[in-house]
Amino acid sequence: DQQVKQNSPSLSVQEGRISILNCDYTNSMFDYFLWYKKYPAEGPTFLISISSIKDKNEDGRFTVFLNKSAKHLSLHIVPSQPGDSAVYFCAATSGGGNQFYFGTGTSLTVIP
Amino acid sequence: GAVVSQHPSRVICKSGTSVKIECRSLDFQATTMFWYRQFPKQSLMLMATSNEGSKATYEQGVEKDKFLINHASLTLSTLTVTSAHPEDSSFYICSAQDRGRGLKAFFGQGTRLTVV
């Protein structure tokens, strides 16, 4: 049962434009959400997170938006850079982070 | 950010042998460590969760006798794949969490296991 879903397996964006990566979840008990970036043959690197008490969190070029009623979150990267090309995973947890549920990932390619 | 070191990064072993993978938190005390497995083009699948000093909690379908997890200290957890078979070939990733610093989990660089 996939509780966190990333329906777009891949995304291509021109350098300098905005990248929008989407994530949907089904469990209303999730109260903390994270985005990770992963290069091939490496472990994921934490990017940004958001608590369910917020609807937006911004860190430099990265902004995460949370829509609890729609059970949807998105990661915006602006401006996109070629070095952003990687697989992005969203993750969700509840009850203090005892277990993280990951989406299937979206492969982002930023075209120079 | 916090550093989690996973070793080895790649290992090739013969079928029937055992392989140990280490996961160390280098600059914080990891109260909880997670072990994941990733198949090609698939998500990270949680295998087990371990808290320091207690037995690991395994996810459904994960054989605890095959994937031995030890979390003996606040900075080290090990995953031993016993009697490895070719179907165990995969990318194994650990992550560590310091509850005192929030809910973020920091990941190791992963281990590519190939069983021949």
Side-chain angles (χ1 to χ4, degrees), chain B:
Chain B
V3 178
V4 176
S5 175
Q6 187 173 339
H7 177 80
S9 58
R10 292 176 180 273
V11 58
I12 301 173
C13 71
K14 290 187 176 180
S15 188
T17 61
S18 295
V19 173
K20 180 184 283 189
I21 302 169
E22 290 188 350
C23 181
R24 294 181 185 273
S25 57
L26 299 184
D27 55 357
F28 68 101
Q29 293 186 325
T31 49
T32 306
M33 284 191 171
F34 305 88
W35 285 95
Y36 295 85
R37 181 174 179 176
Q38 185 183 28
F39 294 100
K41 298 183 181 180
Q42 292 190 28
S43 184
L44 302 170
M45 301 303 297
L46 179 65
M47 298 174 66
T49 302
S50 72
N51 293 299
E52 185 264 341
S54 60
K55 289 185 178 181
T57 302
Y58 289 81
E59 294 301 298
Q60 192 173 9
V62 178
E63 299 174 60
K64 59 183 67 177
D65 293 331
K66 181 169 186 58
F67 299 99
L68 301 178
I69 291 172
N70 183 280
H71 189 172
S73 78
L74 283 171
T75 59
L76 173 65
S77 176
T78 60
L79 166 67
T80 301
V81 183
T82 63
S83 187
H85 291 283
E87 56 265 31
D88 298 326
S89 298
S90 190
F91 192 60
Y92 293 87
I93 306 173
C94 71
S95 72
Q97 186 181 53
D98 176 10
R99 300 297 180 93
R101 296 207 288 182
L103 300 182
K104 289 191 294 290
F106 299 92
F107 286 81
Q109 56 268 61
T111 298
R112 169 67 63 190
L113 170 64
T114 303
V115 184
V116 298

Side-chain angles (χ1 to χ4, degrees), chain A residues 4 16 40 59 68 75 78 81-82 93:
Chain A
V4 179
D59 184 3
K68 288 187 291 294
L75 173 68
V78 57
Q81 298 174 355
T93 187

Side-chain angles (χ1 to χ4, degrees), chain A residues 6 21 23 32-39 42-49 62 64 73 75 77 84 86-93 100-108, chain B residues 34 36 44 93-97 102-108:
Chain A
Q6 293 175 258
L21 297 100
C23 180
Y32 194 73
F33 305 88
L34 311 92
W35 283 94
Y36 286 88
K37 176 181 179 180
K38 184 181 182 300
Y39 294 112
E42 292 185 14
T45 303
F46 170 77
L47 267 180
I48 192 169
S49 63
F62 302 93
V64 56
L73 66 155
L75 173 68
I77 306 173
D84 296 329
V87 177
Y88 289 78
F89 289 95
C90 66
T93 187
F100 290 80
Y101 295 86
F102 284 84
T104 49
T106 296
S107 178
L108 172 66
Chain B
F34 305 88
Y36 295 85
L44 302 170
I93 306 173
C94 71
S95 72
Q97 186 181 53
L103 300 182
K104 289 191 294 290
F106 299 92
F107 286 81

